[in-house]
């Protein structure tokens, strides 16, 4: 296992996990399992020495196991703000890591492909996150459980509460499941409150792109199930999967049900903005890109392939853009617009009229 | 759809809290949000308006806090006020110290949900260490504390009925 995660290089050269799949509705699936070491106070109440012991304990367990040989690690306090923001934009670290007290105690172990991570000492001693492109919740759960087994650690657990976490809301299985869903059909047909109610009835709730407390971006929401009690992880994942499939069907129905001319017009306007805008902010660019994805999916746009669109999406995130171009903050919107114009102006085949 | 509290203004914020496996949600207008937040932060969005980050996923009523004001975890020193502000326990021992309140909170939410579904299944009491009338009395106090008088009246009637039966 190597020290230092090459975050800048990863950001330049590889797509984040959520953009690696072929599914144009469910971008990625994530399972997160929280655990605390038995007999030790939770991180917020632990002394610096106790927290260091946790890092050493987990570090030893990982380094002695071949399975984790490609993992790299870093302490959050050794990362620059730029690096932490890159991790956040790639959906590896959680949104709450801004507090200096928390930053000083958190450690990250990350697999080479970025699809598995272990965060130490955020709210709980361990936060194991497994992410896979597309709709792969069962696989995420299976991998996460295997990682836990490989660690061979004694976790805090009691009846009737199950596995004990700092937040009692997720005690029980200590597990949350999330999928990132791209739903331009539901958003454009303006039935947004209806589908929120339907999602609620199915037992899942939509959150922002980066999770709780954040905005949706480009018609993309994180659907999270935090139902950690009174059912096994497998049952929970099964019912969550059925709920997501129900919402997926609604999205397909919404896309198919849209008037073709209206859809073409909406996509064309987004394409026009992206093709010619001189300045474009992140939120507007993501919204327009969502429509371009819809256009490519519907066959209206053939001048740009889906892979190119994904690469474009990845590099327009603010910190990714700065990482790539070293531009100043006040230049970001112009540079973003320039990159988009250049990408879209490279035609490969004729646009469908 | 209007604000759940005042029923007059259009909603601007969506408030969700988790207790155990049950989630309670309401849509509130700006004024009611400020009045109810009491210094805490709310979570969620309505039609793209972001709400600020949640500080906690568990909330006890003011009466719970008053009654258990002296309660403190012997291992990490966490008290109820701290839990209410952060939504977090400090150690394993906190679960033992606050188990009664947690179970009543869960039972209360379960009972409300079941009442809404008009399903009079009393299975919940098997998981509650306190007597049935005591549980209902606590739930009634919580309902009054959050001004859910309709629920409080239902619970009062049920308590009176049980007391009559036990005479």
């Amino acid at each position: 296992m190597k020290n230092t995660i090459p975050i800048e290089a990863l950001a330049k050269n590889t797509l984040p996990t959520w953009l690696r799949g072929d599914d144009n509705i469910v971008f990625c699936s994530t399972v997160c399992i929280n655990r605390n070491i038995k007999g030790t106070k939770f991180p917020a109440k632990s002394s610096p020495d106790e927290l260091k012991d946790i890092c050493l304990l987990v570090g030893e367990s990982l380094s002695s196991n071949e399975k984790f040989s490609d993992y790299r690690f870093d302490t959050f306090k050794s990362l620059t703000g730029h690096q932490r923001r890159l991790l956040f934009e790639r959906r590896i670290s959680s949104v709450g890591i801004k507090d200096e007290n928390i930053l000083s105690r958190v450690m990250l172990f990350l697999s080479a492909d970025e699809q598995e991570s272990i965060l130490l000492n955020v709210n709980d001693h361990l936060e194991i996150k497994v992410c896979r492109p597309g709709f792969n919740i069962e696989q995420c759960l299976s991998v996460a459980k295997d990682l836990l087994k490989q660690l061979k650690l004694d976790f805090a657990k009691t009846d009737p509460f199950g596995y004990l976490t700092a937040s009692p809301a997720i005690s029980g299985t200590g597990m949350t499941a999330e999928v990132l869903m791209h739903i331009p059909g539901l958003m454009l047909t303006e039935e947004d409150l209806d589908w929120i109610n339907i999602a609620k009835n199915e037992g899942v709730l939509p959150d922002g792109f980066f999770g709780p407390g954040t905005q949706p971006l480009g018609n993309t929401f994180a659907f999270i199930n935090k139902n950690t009690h009174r059912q096994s992880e497998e049952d929970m994942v099964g019912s969550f999967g059925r709920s997501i499939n129900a919402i997926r069907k609604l999205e397909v129905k919404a896309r198919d049900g849209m008037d073709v001319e209206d859809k073409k017009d909406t996509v064309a306007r987004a394409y026009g903005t992206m093709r010619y805008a001189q300045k474009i902010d992140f939120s507007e660019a993501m919204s327009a890109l969502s429509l371009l994805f819809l256009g490519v999916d519907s066959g209206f746009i053939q001048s740009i392939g889906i892979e190119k669109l994904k690469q474009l999406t990845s590099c327009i995130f603010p910190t990714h853009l700065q990482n790539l171009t070293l531009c100043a903050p006040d230049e970001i919107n112009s540079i973003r617009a320039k990159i988009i114009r250049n990408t879209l102006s490279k035609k490969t085949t004729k646009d469908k009229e | 759809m209007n604000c759940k509290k005042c029923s007059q203004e259009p909603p601007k914020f969506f408030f969700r809290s988790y207790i155990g496996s049950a989630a309670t949600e309401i849509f509130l207008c700006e004024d009611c949000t400020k009045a109810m937040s009491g210094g805490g932060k709310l979570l969620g969005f309505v039609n793209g308006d972001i709400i600020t980050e949640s500080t906690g996923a568990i909330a006890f009523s003011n009466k719970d806090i008053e009654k258990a004001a002296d309660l403190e975890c012997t291992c990490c020193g966490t008290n109820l006020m701290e839990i209410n502000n952060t939504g977090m326990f400090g150690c394993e021992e906190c679960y033992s110290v606050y188990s009664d309140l947690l179970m009543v909170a869960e039972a209360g939410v379960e009972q409300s949900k079941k009442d809404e579904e008009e399903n009079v299944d009393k299975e919940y009491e098997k998981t509650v260490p306190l007597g049935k009338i005591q549980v209902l009395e606590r739930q009634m106090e919580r309902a009054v504390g959050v001004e859910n008088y309709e629920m409080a009246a239902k619970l009062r009637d049920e308590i009176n009925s049980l007391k009559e039966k036990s005479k």
Side-chain angles (χ1 to χ4, degrees):
Chain A
M1 197 174 6
K2 287 185 189 167
N3 179 314
T4 309
I5 300 168
I7 301 165
E8 287 93 339
L10 284 171
K12 271 186 194 163
N13 302 322
T14 58
L15 289 175
T17 306
W18 69 275
L19 280 172
R20 294 179 196 170
D22 298 323
D23 194 328
N24 60 43
I25 296 178
V26 180
F27 281 151
C28 71
S29 313
T30 307
V31 160
C32 185
I33 299 186
N34 287 44
R35 291 284 187 267
N36 284 290
I37 304 296
K38 192 173 178 176
T40 320
K41 287 178 224 158
F42 301 156
K45 290 285 182 174
S46 292
S47 67
D49 284 340
E50 284 167 337
L51 293 168
K52 202 173 163 186
D53 288 342
I54 298 291
C55 292
L56 287 171
L57 180 68
V58 176
E60 270 167 25
S61 181
L62 290 170
S63 59
S64 63
N65 193 322
E66 269 295 307
K67 198 177 164 57
F68 302 105
S69 57
D70 72 335
Y71 275 51
R72 297 196 182 204
F73 63 92
D74 252 315
T75 56
F76 260 65
K77 68 178 174 195
S78 67
L79 297 176
T80 60
H82 176 82
Q83 289 171 324
R84 290 199 296 267
R85 284 193 298 276
L86 282 173
L87 288 174
F88 171 64
E89 285 182 1
R90 294 178 85 76
R91 306 183 85 252
I92 292 170
S93 76
S94 52
V95 71
I97 302 183
K98 290 174 196 167
D99 186 332
E100 282 302 320
N101 289 334
I102 295 180
L103 283 176
S104 65
R105 71 187 191 221
V106 174
M107 196 160 176
L108 169 68
F109 293 85
L110 186 66
S111 66
D113 61 5
E114 294 179 61
Q115 293 189 8
E116 289 144 33
S117 64
I118 302 175
L119 268 169
L120 302 187
N121 299 329
V122 183
N123 293 320
D124 297 298
H125 291 138
L126 281 100
E127 190 180 299
I128 292 166
K129 206 187 236 187
V130 176
C131 182
R132 290 289 185 270
F135 191 28
N136 266 313
I137 279 282
E138 280 96 354
Q139 193 194 18
C140 289
L141 175 63
S142 169
V143 170
K145 286 180 98 169
D146 184 54
L147 285 179
L148 274 174
K149 211 192 281 186
Q150 297 285 337
L151 285 171
K152 295 179 186 161
L153 297 169
D154 207 3
F155 298 121
K157 185 181 180 185
T158 186
D159 284 330
F161 297 108
Y163 286 103
L164 303 180
T165 51
S167 167
I170 60 167
S171 64
T173 58
M175 181 189 124
T176 53
E178 176 194 289
V179 295
L180 197 62
M181 283 187 86
H182 178 226
I183 49 172
L186 287 169
M187 296 305 287
L188 287 173
T189 49
E190 292 181 346
E191 292 170 3
D192 43 353
L193 278 185
D194 278 348
W195 70 258
I196 288 176
N197 287 331
I198 289 166
K200 221 172 71 169
N201 290 338
E202 294 287 339
V204 297
L205 285 167
D207 265 317
F209 184 90
F210 294 109
T214 65
Q215 269 191 8
L217 283 170
N219 301 315
T220 305
F221 293 75
F223 284 81
I224 300 174
N225 183 318
K226 287 187 180 176
N227 190 0
T228 62
H229 289 245
R230 298 196 185 92
Q231 52 183 335
S232 67
E233 289 95 331
E234 286 75 15
D235 288 342
M236 194 273 252
V237 152
S239 69
F240 183 55
R242 285 189 290 277
S243 309
I244 296 301
N245 273 327
I247 298 167
R248 179 205 279 276
K249 281 181 188 162
L250 287 176
E251 170 63 14
V252 170
K253 190 178 165 191
R255 288 189 193 189
D256 292 344
M258 285 174 74
D259 178 78
V260 174
E261 290 305 313
D262 285 347
K263 205 197 281 188
K264 264 193 203 174
D265 181 57
T266 306
V267 168
R269 284 168 190 272
Y271 182 86
T273 301
M274 297 282 266
R275 180 70 181 81
Y276 296 105
Q278 298 298 304
K279 280 187 182 181
I280 188 164
D281 70 27
F282 176 49
S283 179
E284 189 183 356
M286 285 294 284
S287 298
L289 272 168
S290 161
L291 296 172
L292 295 197
F293 271 105
L294 185 66
V296 169
D297 185 49
S298 307
F300 301 147
I301 299 177
Q302 291 180 348
S303 59
I304 181 166
I306 204 87
E307 287 308 313
K308 207 72 186 168
L309 218 49
K310 287 181 192 176
Q311 281 167 20
L312 187 60
T313 306
S314 171
C315 74
I316 64 159
F317 279 67
T319 317
H320 276 69
L321 197 63
Q322 282 189 297
N323 191 52
L324 200 64
T325 63
L326 303 176
C327 64
D330 59 352
E331 292 175 318
I332 282 182
N333 291 345
S334 312
I335 301 288
R336 182 182 290 115
K338 188 176 177 186
I339 289 176
I340 292 170
R341 288 198 310 272
N342 289 345
T343 306
L344 294 184
S345 66
K346 287 174 192 163
K347 288 193 179 183
T348 52
T349 56
K350 216 168 140 183
D351 272 328
K352 200 170 188 179
E353 291 293 331
Chain B
M1 179 173 58
N2 280 343
C3 169
K4 177 106 186 222
K5 192 155 165 44
C6 66
S7 304
Q8 285 169 1
E9 296 297 317
K12 191 168 166 59
F13 299 104
F14 164 67
F15 175 52
R16 182 197 314 136
S17 70
Y18 291 95
I19 299 176
S21 60
T24 53
E25 304 104 14
I26 48 173
F27 290 89
L28 299 174
C29 68
E30 193 159 0
D31 289 338
C32 289
T33 301
K34 281 180 193 164
M36 279 190 75
S37 68
K41 295 175 188 173
L42 304 185
L43 166 72
F45 61 91
V46 174
N47 288 338
D49 288 328
I50 312 172
I51 312 310
T52 52
E53 196 173 0
S54 171
T55 53
I58 192 159
F60 299 108
S61 71
N62 289 335
K63 295 233 184 228
D64 283 332
I65 294 169
E66 277 170 28
K67 276 189 180 174
D70 295 333
L71 207 56
E72 196 176 271
C73 175
T74 49
C75 176
C76 66
T78 304
N79 60 34
L80 201 58
M81 187 65 80
E82 207 178 326
I83 295 168
N84 214 40
N85 288 338
T86 64
M88 301 284 175
F89 283 173
C91 69
E92 297 168 54
E93 188 60 27
C94 290
Y95 277 85
S96 305
V97 172
Y98 298 108
S99 62
D100 284 356
L101 283 172
L102 267 180
M103 284 177 145
V104 170
E106 280 206 23
V109 173
E110 287 290 336
Q111 182 59 44
S112 317
K113 280 179 83 172
K114 284 173 181 173
D115 282 346
E116 279 172 22
E117 293 162 3
E118 294 179 2
N119 179 5
V120 192
D121 181 1
K122 307 296 181 191
E123 279 295 305
Y124 74 90
E125 67 183 304
K126 289 180 188 168
T127 67
V128 178
L130 304 174
K132 190 168 168 182
I133 292 180
Q134 288 164 292
V135 168
L136 293 174
E137 278 172 348
R138 280 215 192 176
Q139 288 170 18
M140 187 176 69
E141 283 170 9
R142 283 174 57 82
V144 167
V146 298
E147 297 178 31
N148 187 348
Y149 298 119
E150 198 181 318
M151 177 58 63
K154 274 188 193 172
L155 289 165
R156 177 206 61 205
D157 293 341
E158 194 175 343
I159 291 166
N160 289 340
S161 157
L162 286 170
K163 282 180 177 173
E164 276 297 320
K165 278 182 193 169
S166 63
K167 276 183 187 170

